[in-house]
Amino acid sequence: MDVQATFDALDDNIVPVFALASLAMLGNYIWFFGAISAGKRDRVFTIPLFLTFFWFAHDSSFVLSYDRWFNTYDHWFPQLFWVLIIFTVGFELYYMRQTLRLGQAELAPGLTPLQFRIGFIMCLAAMYIAWIWLKQSMQDPVYLDIFALTILSYPCLAIGMMLRRGDRRGFNGVMCAGFLMMTFCYFTASTIFFGPYFQRPSYYLVAVASCVTAAAMTWVYLHLPPAPASTSTASDRSEVTA
């Protein structure tokens, strides 16, 4: 990737890039707040476990790379992204806590709570190591290629989680709408305005696959039965906090 060529393309199209990127991040936060609501409603974890680890490794490493964005490159796009990703890391910490509190019965019923927590931490550490290796293997110094991978991976795993549960537990229409909004806006911006590197056939395929799987996830959600009515007590519900 020619980083300077990408930054030049962003500068040449600052208005549409800023508008579409803002809409994409708005869709991201709509989706995330929808996931919090679905988890409180159904008392289940709402983000597939692999993605909780993968996203946290991706986003926290981006935040920790402050010097790269503000000194090495000193460009408005990664700097703005850095600010927004701080909030995303906060959501991901919430989802990890949500999984630790509500996920053991579904993910590891044969383990004790202590064993589940230890296994959770070990898997998180392993994913961070895998992330470092993956990042070093990709010629993607500004995280734009791999950001597309974080989008494409969600609907594929979310569909599997919905089908395994057999109903809408842990999902709602807000999540689907927010994710569709984010996916469409981000890939519209990147394929049109990010420069020639993002106008290759392989990237177009990633963009199409992401939009199609996001639509497929929504279709699956709409065709599943509603989540069972909650039978938890008021005191149980009060344990799930943001």
Side-chain angles (χ1 to χ4, degrees):
M1 179 191 296
D2 186 336
V3 175
Q4 189 57 52
T6 299
F7 286 165
D8 288 344
L10 292 169
D11 290 338
D12 290 341
N13 299 282
I14 187 169
V15 173
V17 166
F18 186 84
L20 287 167
S22 297
L23 289 173
M25 288 307 298
L26 177 60
N28 180 82
Y29 293 138
I30 290 172
W31 163 36
F32 278 1
F33 277 115
I36 292 175
S37 175
K40 290 183 176 182
R41 180 195 67 197
D42 301 327
R43 293 190 56 77
V44 295
F45 67 97
T46 53
I47 302 297
L49 186 59
F50 171 83
L51 291 182
T52 304
F53 295 149
F54 181 38
W55 291 343
F56 180 75
H58 171 279
D59 293 346
S60 62
S61 69
F62 191 98
V63 171
L64 291 173
S65 301
Y66 173 92
D67 185 67
R68 179 187 301 180
W69 315 130
F70 287 86
N71 295 314
T72 302
Y73 290 123
D74 192 21
H75 188 267
W76 65 269
F77 187 82
Q79 290 171 355
L80 177 60
F81 199 54
W82 181 85
V83 174
L84 296 172
I85 287 294
I86 292 176
F87 297 101
T88 303
V89 170
F91 279 106
E92 289 155 359
L93 290 170
Y94 174 89
Y95 296 136
M96 285 194 282
R97 179 174 180 270
Q98 182 190 70
T99 303
L100 283 170
R101 292 174 63 85
L102 304 174
Q104 182 183 347
E106 182 175 345
L107 295 170
L111 299 182
T112 66
L114 178 60
Q115 290 170 336
F116 180 64
R117 292 187 180 96
I118 292 173
F120 186 96
I121 294 170
M122 291 176 64
C123 288
L124 176 60
M127 176 54 70
Y128 228 105
I129 294 170
W131 160 256
I132 293 171
W133 171 81
L134 177 63
K135 188 68 179 65
Q136 291 175 345
S137 301
M138 298 181 66
Q139 295 181 355
D140 184 23
V142 289
Y143 284 63
L144 292 177
D145 264 345
I146 205 161
F147 184 66
L149 179 59
T150 66
I151 296 176
L152 176 58
S153 58
Y154 173 71
C156 301
L157 294 179
I159 288 171
M161 191 160 78
M162 281 192 284
L163 293 177
R164 186 183 73 247
R165 288 174 172 170
D167 53 43
R168 297 179 182 176
R169 277 174 296 163
F171 290 88
N172 56 34
V174 172
M175 294 172 67
C176 293
F179 187 80
L180 282 167
M181 177 180 174
M182 180 191 70
T183 302
F184 179 79
C185 290
Y186 178 75
F187 282 108
T188 298
S190 59
T191 55
I192 297 175
F193 300 116
F194 282 22
Y197 182 83
F198 297 91
Q199 294 167 355
R200 298 166 296 149
S202 58
Y203 191 79
Y204 285 143
L205 286 174
V206 171
V208 171
S210 298
C211 293
V212 169
T213 52
M217 177 187 71
T218 304
W219 185 90
V220 171
Y221 167 79
L222 293 173
H223 286 78
L224 284 173
S230 174
T231 57
S232 59
T233 65
S235 60
D236 290 334
R237 289 193 296 272
S238 67
E239 293 177 359
V240 186
T241 58

